[in-house]
């Protein structure tokens, strides 16, 4: 049987562009032993019957017709249904549902990921104009996390931070932000022409770790700007930090909202906050306007997938949508999007108990580590001015063993196959999560006991550490050009010994402590150079420098 009936195309333009087949009779081709049913696909494309998720029956519908009940989250269910179609695919990607998957990768991960690596098919919805399963998935995420609206991100939290800054600030506006902000904040200022007003976070020299910022620091900075006749367009706060230190978001929110200033919280490391009584309160629960979370970090979505949440009415949602459409890929991965939906569902199923085991294992690990000679554990009293510290982030100090964090980490990785999250000059940070196993905790403790039994500090190693830590240059900052001006300025590479007093042309950030020592447009100081060279000699990784050996620097022409 062959039925071919006329179908016309409807195009629509506006804030978003899309195309759909206009409602009309369906085309179908069938044979006795081999049939291809195109009705479901054409039904999904019909303008009047957009895919709809039925929250009552947990199923996907096209109009009034139920497609299939999988008992799965909306976008996961839509992706499963689309992948199971016996489709003759004449669309991207080129591996064509795994038929042409590269053999080496297929041997590594199998063919199923390719089957579900699908493009923006009508039944899968459109990330930039969602009406079906993506919209429903984002709505369910917003409800779970306490947002008025949530957007899925396939460009990581980098994309979310950039969007938040560009949606709240105009070219020439001032953004208050901490010095230990993620590189994405700097790139957002370069893209938008926003001017920074930095706050130097609290810094613990003993640990060589930066903390958060306080509401008193924010208040002082707002007053300084007022004296200059300026008002900040937004305030960006990093909470928690990489090491889990949390700022008092509620106090900063109250202050900012008194001045009608939106507050952005980079909560990349805190998507799990609020889902256990021992976890800190989330930024959304404390009234933040825009919150960016890396769902892939402590929660269980795929790497590079994140969420942007909005609350309140200080931020224009349309500007957020425009920025996301500009900054995100026009070919988003549905595997990443579906993983966000799945992670949300996983958390929703047992929100009050899901982190019980992880928290218990972390407390058990800290109890055992505290008994090991020469090993210190980072606790909130180290940063007494702050409201909380993430219990799932375990940072241990090794300086009393005469080791740098890099040296200790090398031993743990090489001899015990213990892989850490973050390494510092004096510490190592381990991220506990829903997948942490007790046997791995015991292996970590065993490795730390080995370090304790085989190493001890000498007067020489202690003196060298103090000499390095006392040179932190974070209070000597002078900006000559804006980050955008410096980015587009003509540059020259000169020897590091000749760079003193010049305008830095690149972002130079040692890890640790994760605070940019030099940002494009700032004057290169003697303190900054000495600090960079010294921490590099301790094993710190220098990020952002064109010459990773630091024998030369890029500087802007006067």
């Amino acid at each position: 049987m062959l039925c071919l009936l006329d179908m016309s195309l409807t195009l629509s333009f506006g804030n978003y562009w899309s195309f759909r087949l206009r409602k009309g009779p369906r085309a179908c081709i069938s044979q006795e032993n081999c049939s291809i049913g195109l009705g479901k696909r054409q039904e999904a494309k019909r303008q009047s019957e957009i895919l709809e998720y039925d929250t009552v029956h947990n199923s996907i519908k096209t109009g009034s017709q139920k497609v299939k009940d999988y008992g799965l989250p909306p976008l996961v269910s839509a992706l499963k249904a689309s992948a199971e179609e016996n489709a003759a695919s004449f669309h991207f990607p080129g591996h064509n549902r795994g038929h042409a998957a590269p053999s080496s990768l297929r041997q590594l991960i199998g063919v199923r990921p390719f089957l579900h690596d699908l493009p923006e098919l009508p039944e899968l919805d459109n990330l930039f104009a969602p009406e079906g399963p993506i919209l429903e998935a984002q709505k369910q995420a917003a409800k779970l996390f306490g947002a008025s609206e949530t957007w899925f991100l396939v460009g990581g939290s980098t994309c979310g931070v950039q969007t938040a800054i560009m949606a709240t600030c105009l070219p020439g506006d001032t953004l208050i932000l901490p010095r230990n902000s993620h590189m994405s904040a700097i790139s957002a200022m370069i893209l938008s022409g926003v001017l920074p007003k930095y706050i130097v976070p609290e810094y613990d020299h003993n640990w060589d770790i930066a903390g958060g910022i306080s509401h008193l620091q924010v208040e002082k900075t707002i007053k300084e700007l007022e004296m200059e006749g300026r008002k900040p367009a937004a305030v960006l706060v990093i909470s928690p930090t990489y090491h889990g230190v949390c700022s008092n978001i509620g106090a900063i929110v109250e202050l900012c909202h008194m001045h009608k200033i939106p507050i952005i919280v980079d909560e990349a490391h805190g998507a799990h906050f609020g889902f256990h009584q021992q976890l800190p309160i989330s930024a959304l629960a404390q009234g933040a306007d825009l919150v960016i979370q890396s769902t892939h970090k402590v929660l269980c979505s795929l790497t590079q997938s994140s969420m942007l949440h909005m609350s309140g009415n200080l931020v224009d949602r349309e500007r957020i949508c425009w920025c996301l459409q500009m900054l995100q890929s026009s070919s988003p991965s549905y595997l990443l999007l579906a993983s966000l939906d799945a992670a949300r569902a996983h958390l929703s199923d047992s929100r009050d108990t899901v982190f019980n085991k992880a928290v218990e294992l972390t407390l058990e690990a800290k109890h055992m580590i505290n008994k090991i000679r020469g090993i210190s554990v980072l606790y909130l009293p180290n940063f007494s001015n702050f409201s909380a510290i993430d219990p799932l982030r375990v940072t241990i100090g090794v300086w009393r063993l005469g080791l740098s964090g890099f040296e200790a980490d090398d031993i743990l990785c090489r001899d015990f196959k213990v892989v850490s999250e973050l390494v510092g000059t004096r510490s190592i940070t381990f991220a506990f999560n829903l997948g942490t196993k007790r046997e791995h905790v015991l292996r970590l403790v065993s490795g730390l006991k080995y370090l304790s039994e085989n190493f001890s500090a000498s007067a020489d190693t202690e003196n060298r550490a103090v000499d390095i830590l006392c040179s932190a240059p974070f209070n000597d900052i002078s900006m000559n050009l804006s980050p955008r001006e410096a980015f587009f300025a003509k540059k020259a590479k000169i020897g590091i010994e000749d760079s003193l007093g010049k305008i830095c042309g690149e972002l130079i950030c040692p890890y640790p402590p994760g605070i940019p020592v030099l940002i494009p447009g700032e004057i290169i100081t003697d303190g900054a150079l000495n600090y960079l060279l010294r921490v590099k000699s301790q094993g710190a990784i220098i990020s952002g420098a064109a010459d990773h050996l630091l024998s030369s620097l890029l500087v802007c022409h006067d």
Side-chain angles (χ1 to χ4, degrees), residues 142-318:
K143 181 179 179 181
L144 175 67
F145 290 100
S148 59
E149 188 162 358
T150 292
W151 292 266
F152 285 179
L153 308 176
V154 294
S157 288
T158 290
C159 170
V161 171
Q162 292 172 337
T163 294
I165 292 174
M166 294 177 69
T168 54
C169 304
L170 298 174
D173 279 351
T174 300
L175 171 71
I176 295 176
L177 71 165
R179 185 68 181 192
N180 58 334
S181 295
H182 189 265
M183 194 179 298
S184 57
I186 310 301
S187 63
M189 291 189 289
I190 291 172
L191 288 169
S192 62
V194 171
L195 302 176
K197 181 67 174 178
Y198 296 112
I199 295 177
V200 177
E202 180 175 322
Y203 190 78
D204 190 300
H205 290 273
N206 210 32
W207 284 85
D208 195 17
I209 287 175
I213 60 175
S214 69
H215 72 285
L216 295 177
Q217 287 178 297
V218 176
E219 184 177 31
K220 178 183 176 184
T221 306
I222 292 174
K223 289 180 179 178
E224 289 175 354
L225 290 173
E226 286 177 348
M227 292 179 66
E228 300 171 9
R230 300 156 62 193
K231 177 185 176 181
V235 172
L236 171 66
V237 182
I238 314 301
S239 183
T241 66
Y242 212 146
H243 297 93
V245 180
C246 301
S247 297
N248 188 338
I249 298 300
I252 299 175
V253 166
E254 183 178 359
L255 171 67
C256 290
H257 286 181
M258 283 177 54
H259 296 270
K260 304 298 183 183
I261 301 170
I263 175 171
I264 305 164
V265 178
D266 180 351
E267 201 176 45
H269 292 271
H272 56 300
F273 282 8
F275 293 101
H276 189 279
Q277 59 183 3
Q278 294 194 42
L279 293 175
I281 303 172
S282 71
L284 281 168
Q286 296 179 72
D289 300 286
L290 293 175
V291 177
I292 303 97
Q293 296 176 338
S294 291
T295 320
H296 65 90
K297 283 186 164 64
V298 180
L299 301 184
C300 303
S301 66
L302 294 177
T303 297
Q304 197 176 309
S305 59
S306 296
M307 295 186 192
L308 170 62
H309 305 288
M310 183 179 76
S311 183
N313 55 11
L314 287 181
V315 182
D316 183 354
R317 71 168 302 277
E318 292 302 323

Side-chain angles (χ1 to χ4, degrees), residues 480-553:
N480 193 281
L481 298 174
S482 72
R484 181 178 176 86
E485 291 171 333
F487 180 83
F488 289 106
K490 292 183 179 180
K491 300 177 183 66
K493 182 180 289 187
I494 63 175
I496 193 168
E497 66 278 0
D498 300 320
S499 65
L500 186 63
K502 302 292 185 181
I503 302 172
C504 185
E506 51 190 344
L507 178 70
I508 305 179
C509 181
Y511 279 87
I515 299 177
V517 174
L518 289 170
I519 289 175
E522 293 182 347
I523 301 298
I524 299 172
T525 64
D526 185 59
L529 294 179
N530 288 335
Y531 181 81
L532 285 169
L533 293 173
R534 288 176 179 177
V535 296
K536 181 179 179 299
S537 70
Q538 284 284 294
I541 297 172
I542 306 300
S543 172
D547 178 5
H548 68 279
L549 298 177
L550 284 185
S551 58
S552 62
L553 293 176

Side-chain angles (χ1 to χ4, degrees), residues 368-376 396-403 408 411-412 416 444-457:
M368 289 187 287
I369 295 170
N370 276 326
K371 296 180 179 180
I372 302 175
R373 180 199 64 85
I375 302 291
S376 305
I396 59 105
V398 294
W399 64 85
R400 289 189 290 160
L401 298 178
L403 294 171
I411 295 171
L412 291 174
F416 295 88
L444 166 61
V445 172
S446 178
L448 295 177
K449 286 181 178 178
Y450 172 84
L451 295 178
S452 173
E453 293 166 358
N454 290 275
F455 297 92
S456 61

Side-chain angles (χ1 to χ4, degrees), residues 37 49 101 137 147 172 203 234 267 270 329-331 333 360 362 484 541:
E49 296 189 1
Y203 190 78
E267 201 176 45
S329 170
S330 59
S331 301
S333 166
E360 289 171 4
T362 309
R484 181 178 176 86
I541 297 172

